[in-house]
Amino acid sequence: MLIQPFLAMHIPDGFLSVPVALAGWVLSVVLIAFALRQSRAALGDHQVALMGIMAAFVFAAQMINFPVAGGTSGHLIGGTLVAIILGPWAAVLVMTCVIAVQALLFQDGGLLALGFNIFNMSIINPFIGYAVYNAVQKQFPQGKLLGVGIAAWMGTQAAALACALQLAISGTSPFDVAVPAMLGVHALIGIGEALITAGAFMFIQQTRPDLLGISSPATTYRASWIAVGLAMALAITFFSPLADPNPDGLEKVAEEKGFLDEGESPFYEILPDYTVPFIENEAATTIAAGVIGVLIVAGVGYGTGRANRRKSWS
């Protein structure tokens, strides 16, 4: 039985059948390998640094659940924002770093289910969001924020639909139950995703328009803005104890549709449920876990980009 909470669309082991979960691994590994190849030529120094910063920001932001109607909470996925800034293939790598660290270090989402957790949030979400953003931009060139908001909402819906289909194929919840339930609750969560994504986009547009291709990137790669970006991600973790405690979208659906007990507990724990075991204070342990996670994810994101860029030189 599942004994610890899990976050939006982080599928725990037990919700997917073994064949479905293995198919998710195969699919994700193939697409990640392709993403490494496709993004290699586009990675310059500032893109590599941005991969670390964006990974840190997404990790920190995902720790803060916001309230949604009906006793449900949600949190940022972030794939659409990363795709708009770095492109969809680099976004796959950034989001994979985040989702993998969450699973391996914090036991957030199952290891067997990790393949489809990556597929849903690291591939489906950024690619659908990026495609919708570009489509809206073509029709409304001056409506960047509108495009960002619609793209973020659609990316969330696409990931929720993919998750529902995987649950249905696994026999965990019937198709006609899982799909409307997941899309219904994530329609509301997607509004929060849209507002946060648009707000972050507007902040970047005002402070670093060069990162969006709006002005010359000549001064992009500087240690000062890297430090500021990392500091902002770390600062977000100090608000994590204020996260809404209500169940998130997937957990709420599992509870209402009667398959919550299908979830399996992780077979090991390092920093379970975003806590540091030897720190007893509830707020302090959450913040400490968040700081650790931000630093590790930033390093993994930056290291992935740097290693992939070096590969292009060989």
Side-chain angles (χ1 to χ4, degrees):
M1 179 180 293
L2 185 69
I3 59 174
Q4 69 179 66
F6 47 92
L7 298 178
M9 279 185 277
H10 287 70
I11 306 170
D13 285 336
F15 277 22
L16 302 181
S17 67
V18 173
V20 169
L22 291 178
W25 266 99
V26 172
L27 188 59
S28 291
V29 167
V30 170
L31 290 173
I32 290 169
F34 196 67
L36 286 167
R37 182 175 180 178
Q38 290 296 109
S39 63
R40 195 167 291 154
L43 293 177
D45 284 341
H46 73 282
Q47 286 90 359
V48 169
L50 264 177
M51 285 180 66
I53 293 172
M54 293 304 299
F57 170 77
V58 169
F59 176 89
Q62 285 195 6
M63 290 187 66
I64 303 179
N65 280 40
F66 51 81
V68 179
T72 307
S73 69
H75 70 66
L76 180 77
I77 296 177
T80 295
L81 177 64
V82 181
I84 291 172
I85 294 173
L86 286 172
W89 292 113
V92 170
L93 303 182
V94 169
M95 294 301 297
T96 296
C97 291
V98 174
I99 303 303
V101 170
Q102 288 172 334
L104 296 171
L105 188 61
F106 297 92
Q107 289 70 64
D108 186 10
L111 295 184
L112 191 59
L114 180 58
F116 268 129
N117 279 330
I118 288 173
F119 181 77
N120 296 343
M121 291 182 280
S122 304
I123 299 169
I124 290 290
N125 177 267
F127 265 96
I128 294 298
Y130 186 76
V132 171
Y133 172 73
N134 284 332
V136 175
Q137 278 295 99
K138 288 181 180 179
Q139 296 298 319
F140 305 99
Q142 302 304 316
K144 284 187 178 294
L145 286 181
L146 174 66
V148 170
I150 294 174
W153 188 87
M154 288 296 296
T156 301
Q157 287 292 88
L161 176 60
C163 180
L165 292 175
Q166 292 145 22
L167 294 173
I169 295 171
S170 296
T172 304
S173 182
F175 177 86
D176 59 350
V177 172
V179 171
M182 285 292 287
L183 290 182
V185 70
H186 284 91
L188 298 176
I189 292 173
I191 296 174
E193 177 92 15
L195 292 174
I196 295 170
T197 303
F201 180 90
M202 186 166 57
F203 176 78
I204 295 169
Q205 189 177 44
Q206 294 297 318
T207 58
R208 292 305 307 266
D210 52 288
L211 300 181
L212 301 172
I214 297 173
S215 63
S216 172
T219 60
T220 298
Y221 184 63
R222 293 195 326 194
S224 58
W225 72 263
I226 296 173
V228 168
L230 185 57
M232 290 178 64
L234 289 169
I236 293 172
T237 65
F238 284 83
F239 294 92
S240 57
L242 302 177
D244 190 281
N246 284 309
D248 66 41
L250 176 57
E251 187 176 2
K252 186 72 171 180
V253 170
E255 183 181 310
E256 291 184 347
K257 304 307 177 183
F259 61 88
L260 184 63
D261 288 343
E262 296 293 323
E264 299 174 358
S265 301
F267 65 88
Y268 74 95
E269 292 184 344
I270 300 177
L271 299 174
D273 195 25
Y274 299 89
T275 61
V276 179
F278 58 83
I279 300 178
E280 296 184 0
N281 180 273
E282 185 175 350
T285 193
T286 301
I287 292 170
V291 169
I292 292 170
V294 163
L295 294 175
I296 290 176
V297 167
V300 172
Y302 175 79
T304 299
R306 190 164 182 80
N308 196 36
R309 185 172 181 233
R310 282 179 176 171
K311 182 76 173 177
S312 68
W313 297 346
S314 59

